[in-house]
Amino acid sequence: MLNPADNMTIEELEQQLLVACTCAENDPSNLEIMREVCEILLALKREDELLAWTKRALALNPSEAYFLSLTIFALNLSGQHAEAADILLHSPWMQSDPVRCRLQLGYSLMMAGDLAAAIPLLDEVLSMTMDASSVKIRTEAEHLVGEAMLKAGDPRGFAHWLMRNVSGSAGNYLAPGIPMWAGETDLHGQRVLITHQLGFGDNFLLAACLADWRAAGASLMMTCDAQIHALMQASLPDCEIVSAARPMQLSTALPDAVQARVDAFAPHLQATLLHLPLLKAKQAGAGYRFQAYLQAPLAKQKLAKEWAQQLRLQHPGKKLVGLFWDCLQRHEFEASSEARCWAKRRSMPVTAVDRIVTDPAVAGRIHFVNLQHPLIETLAGIPVGNVSRCLSDISLFDDTAACIGELDAVLAVDASISNLAAMMGKPTCVLVNTSSDWRWGIRGDTTSWIENATVLRQTHEGNWDPVVQEAVAWLIAPAIQSA
């Protein structure tokens, strides 16, 4: 058996896996060999290959706890959340470990879209975890309650979602000596430091709330990733924007150069990105929406306008639509299995993209612009035709925003680009998998959070065929053709 403490190289693990798989084929009823295969796959961070092995093991012994646990994990990774929930419902752990089992069940049900069952179940976990020994589980349950409420379009979920700042699912900065915002609504005369976290798309979406903070009278300084610094400066002229690396751990200290800027700003309060919606969303009720605000720097807008004019001359009479289909994290081995598999589930195969861009009804009306970053183009693949590159020297998000500003619409999977386009006020069609992020809701072709976004949803995990057909219909619809 593989010893998890062994300091084995990738090559050695691969060789060990080959040997173990061969042994399993020769001795198909040996659970210990199957366990070894699973251990090696975990060590190799190839968790997306676990499911076939765990199901083989459970066919031999349906009550084996090790393989039951891994099966639930693997099912959730692959988007088979309803099946994971079904196993949990009939699991002996429901009685032996009711709190943790209900937490896992609540997560699976939420991701499966059964919010009516998930939210009460997670609330039940909260009521079962009042003692100090259950703080970690309670924190995670509250975070999930918040996410489920947001999926349902309920802005009260933001108060619970804030627990990501405690659960460890999102790193954050903690500036020493500056009190954290505690819900004050009158911020006149207050200088507030906003520290960033999460991904680019979250930053684009949640920073829309800064308008609420300015309206409440606050003077603002906000940190952000270097890749979006110029874009945020151009879009938030009333806010001092400071470039800083994204914090990956809880309560990370500010970098020295950033701390110096913060000291000069002398803030009265600090808030994280997750705090931003709390100022107004709860009071606004179910009608709260994120308002478009992003715009590229003027110099980049000028370059993009010249580029777009040339492109339109080359494709007279056609609309220009941005296209984004591949999430970078699915190619990053160093990312966690959850991040890689989630990115893979959100990404559309280039073969499906080909069917959209070459559809005769579409190709006669629309020319597409590839919004994938040039550095990952070889990973994402290149569509067969009817697609041009955006600005030749695209590097940072202000370049991408300048390009999007000249387009008629954007068609994108759930990624930073769909958030960017939507927060620029551009007609945006978002193609989502069966789970979808909270901001896109869980049903219908709209979202309660973003006004100008159309959402097209998978009905079966991994099957993009109906979504392709719906995307074609959206592209040739009068609303886009008259844009």
Side-chain angles (χ1 to χ4, degrees), residues 371 390-391 394 396-405 417 420 424:
L371 297 176
C390 54
L391 292 166
I394 187 169
L396 303 176
F397 274 98
D398 56 324
D399 300 310
T400 308
C403 175
I404 290 174
I417 295 299
L420 171 58
M424 292 183 69

Side-chain angles (χ1 to χ4, degrees), residues 143 146-147 150 157-164 198 206 274 438:
H143 159 204
E147 196 154 327
L150 295 178
F158 284 117
H160 300 283
W161 199 50
L162 185 62
M163 295 307 291
R164 293 188 70 177
L198 309 174
L206 298 178
L274 289 169
W438 63 267

Side-chain angles (χ1 to χ4, degrees), residues 241-263:
I241 308 295
V242 181
S243 176
R246 186 180 306 170
M248 303 308 293
Q249 304 295 328
L250 292 177
S251 304
T252 302
L254 290 167
D256 291 343
V258 177
Q259 185 65 60
R261 293 278 299 273
V262 170
D263 291 342

Side-chain angles (χ1 to χ4, degrees), residues 277-298:
L278 292 173
L279 184 65
K280 288 293 183 183
K282 185 176 180 180
Q283 296 93 320
Y288 185 85
R289 292 194 174 197
F290 296 95
Q291 301 299 316
Y293 70 101
L294 288 172
Q295 61 179 354
L298 291 176

Side-chain angles (χ1 to χ4, degrees), residues 178-456:
I178 305 173
M180 194 63 71
W181 176 71
E184 302 91 329
T185 55
D186 183 1
L187 296 172
H188 284 87
Q190 298 294 296
R191 293 185 298 276
V192 183
L193 169 67
I194 309 293
T195 51
H196 74 296
Q197 55 196 150
L198 309 174
F200 295 125
D202 300 295
N203 281 255
F204 296 150
L205 184 72
L206 298 178
C209 302
L210 288 176
D212 299 331
W213 291 65
R214 288 287 297 153
S219 298
L220 302 173
M221 169 184 279
M222 185 178 75
T223 64
C224 72
D225 291 279
Q227 296 94 320
I228 66 173
H229 183 251
L231 173 63
M232 302 309 275
Q233 275 192 320
S235 305
L236 300 164
D238 295 330
C239 180
E240 185 175 348
I241 308 295
V242 181
S243 176
R246 186 180 306 170
M248 303 308 293
Q249 304 295 328
L250 292 177
S251 304
T252 302
L254 290 167
D256 291 343
V258 177
Q259 185 65 60
R261 293 278 299 273
V262 170
D263 291 342
F265 181 66
H268 300 101
L269 298 169
Q270 179 190 351
T272 67
L273 198 70
L274 289 169
H275 285 94
L276 293 184
L278 292 173
L279 184 65
K280 288 293 183 183
K282 185 176 180 180
Q283 296 93 320
Y288 185 85
R289 292 194 174 197
F290 296 95
Q291 301 299 316
Y293 70 101
L294 288 172
Q295 61 179 354
L298 291 176
K300 295 291 179 72
Q301 290 184 37
K302 181 179 178 181
L303 290 172
K305 185 175 290 293
E306 295 170 355
W307 158 80
Q309 287 173 346
Q310 293 300 313
L311 191 59
R312 289 186 188 278
L313 287 175
Q314 296 169 28
H315 303 278
K318 291 187 177 183
K319 299 296 182 180
L320 297 182
V321 175
L323 192 61
F324 188 92
W325 65 92
D326 190 274
C327 300
L328 174 61
Q329 274 190 308
R330 80 180 184 94
H331 306 287
E332 295 181 332
F333 179 78
E334 65 276 10
S336 68
S337 58
E338 289 89 347
R340 281 186 288 106
C341 289
W342 179 236
K344 181 180 179 180
R345 291 176 58 203
R346 291 183 290 127
S347 297
M348 175 180 278
V350 72
T351 51
V353 177
D354 289 340
R355 290 164 51 200
I356 295 174
V357 300
T358 61
D359 183 279
V362 171
R365 296 175 172 89
I366 289 171
H367 185 71
F368 292 91
V369 175
N370 184 349
L371 297 176
Q372 299 286 158
H373 196 285
L375 292 179
I376 69 163
E377 191 170 55
T378 55
L379 299 173
I382 300 175
V384 293
N386 194 26
V387 181
S388 293
R389 267 241 131 269
C390 54
L391 292 166
S392 58
D393 60 347
I394 187 169
S395 176
L396 303 176
F397 274 98
D398 56 324
D399 300 310
T400 308
C403 175
I404 290 174
E406 295 300 320
L407 303 178
D408 298 297
V410 169
L411 182 73
V413 296
D414 175 16
S416 56
I417 295 299
S418 49
N419 287 268
L420 171 58
M423 288 298 96
M424 292 183 69
K426 192 64 60 176
T428 305
C429 184
V430 189
L431 317 176
V432 302
N433 64 343
T434 55
S435 303
S436 77
D437 191 77
W438 63 267
R439 73 202 68 194
W440 311 121
I442 61 169
R443 60 178 59 90
D445 62 359
T446 60
T447 167
S448 60
W449 298 110
I450 303 170
E451 189 167 2
N452 57 313
T454 298
V455 186
L456 305 181

